Amino acid sequence: MRLTVVGCSGSGPGPDSPASCYLVEHEGYRLLLDLGSGSFGVLQKVLPPDEVDAVLLSHLHADHCLDVAPFVVWRRYSGLATRNPLPLYAPVGADRRLRLAYDLSDGPIDDVFEVFGIGAGSFDLGPFHVETARTAHPVECYASRLTAGGRSLVYTGDTGACPAVVELARGADVLLAEAAHPDVPGLPPDLHLTGREAGEHARDAGVGRLLLTHVPAWVDPAAQLSAARSVFGAAELVRPLGVYEV
């Protein structure tokens, strides 16, 4: 299994990276986890958009889903899309939210995306067995565990401290965890993880490796990494367009 970081900036695009978008590949199958603001442009550096086999959205905040809109434009009008409609998995109600992101007339997008509603549970997607768990976030959001070829990758999506995410990640080879909050007093609960909390989730789940992501442009990434490593040594920051073997 191979992970490519298309975008990793938290809460919106940053000066060096678009918002969240991750390409996971196994046996020639290409799955996108999230399509945050700015990511569709950079995606085209990584592979032709027609080679994407499916999209899985953790939730419907703009920094995780907004670039479905330019993907709609590309699939409808570029003349290069050969596999419409493309499967898109997301929390229930995503089809209308994504239609409105594309066009206020609320017209259908089912010519280019076949939208499947997800909840906490499991399903198969290409070569991946997918397990999902509801996270601690203000809107409906799901962490996902992808298992293929005897290896497993867990992506937190957005979450505050969350026992369900720890359970989902138990024994995983790689935990791709958001670390958006600086470690300061007065943080709102059930929103984001600090670097230390991401490290604690990795430690408590017994994962092999922790990859920190979703650090906003106004938060010091080195401090997030240092905090994570204070409790879990096998932590590193992802880098834009970085490639990681799981």
Side-chain angles (χ1 to χ4, degrees):
M1 201 186 313
R2 174 177 293 178
L3 166 69
T4 301
V5 176
V6 179
C8 57
S9 179
S11 301
D16 301 314
S17 174
S20 294
C21 182
Y22 310 93
L23 172 66
V24 185
E25 301 173 85
H26 185 70
E27 295 181 344
Y29 192 93
R30 298 177 173 97
L31 171 65
L32 284 182
L33 299 177
D34 288 342
L35 256 171
S37 40
S39 63
F40 183 68
V42 174
L43 175 66
Q44 294 168 76
K45 291 183 178 181
V46 176
L47 82 168
D50 197 45
E51 294 183 9
V52 174
D53 292 294
V55 178
L56 173 58
L57 301 180
S58 62
H59 66 296
L60 301 179
H61 277 156
D63 59 320
H64 292 261
C65 75
L66 192 61
D67 268 30
V68 170
F71 206 176
V72 170
V73 174
W74 187 93
R75 298 194 70 81
R76 277 185 176 163
Y77 302 116
S78 71
L80 300 174
T82 63
R83 298 188 290 173
N84 286 334
L86 187 72
L88 189 152
Y89 295 77
V92 172
D95 49 351
R96 186 165 193 272
R97 175 67 179 269
L98 297 173
R99 292 197 308 264
L100 288 169
Y102 170 69
D103 188 346
L104 288 177
S105 69
D106 197 17
I109 58 171
D110 56 5
D111 57 319
V112 292
F113 286 109
E114 184 177 9
V115 180
F116 298 92
I118 65 170
S122 63
F123 56 96
D124 292 323
L125 182 53
F128 301 108
H129 181 65
V130 183
E131 299 169 77
T132 56
R134 179 76 179 262
T135 74
H137 201 57
V139 302
E140 187 177 1
C141 180
Y142 294 96
S144 57
R145 180 176 182 134
L146 307 180
T147 302
R151 306 288 288 178
S152 54
L153 165 69
V154 174
Y155 169 49
T156 63
D158 280 4
T159 187
C162 184
V165 172
V166 173
E167 286 304 313
L168 184 71
R170 194 162 301 282
D173 296 288
V174 174
L175 174 61
L176 177 65
E178 72 119 284
H181 269 163
D183 195 2
V184 297
L187 294 170
D190 298 334
L191 184 59
H192 292 298
L193 295 173
T194 66
R196 171 177 284 275
E197 288 172 331
E200 290 170 344
H201 281 51
R203 178 199 64 197
D204 294 348
V207 305
R209 185 182 184 190
L210 172 62
L211 300 179
L212 298 177
T213 190
H214 198 272
V215 179
W218 55 87
V219 174
D220 179 5
Q224 302 301 88
L225 178 59
S226 177
R229 284 181 172 171
S230 71
V231 292
F232 187 80
E236 60 190 279
L237 285 166
V238 300
R239 62 187 186 278
L241 297 178
V243 178
Y244 305 86
E245 298 296 332
V246 176

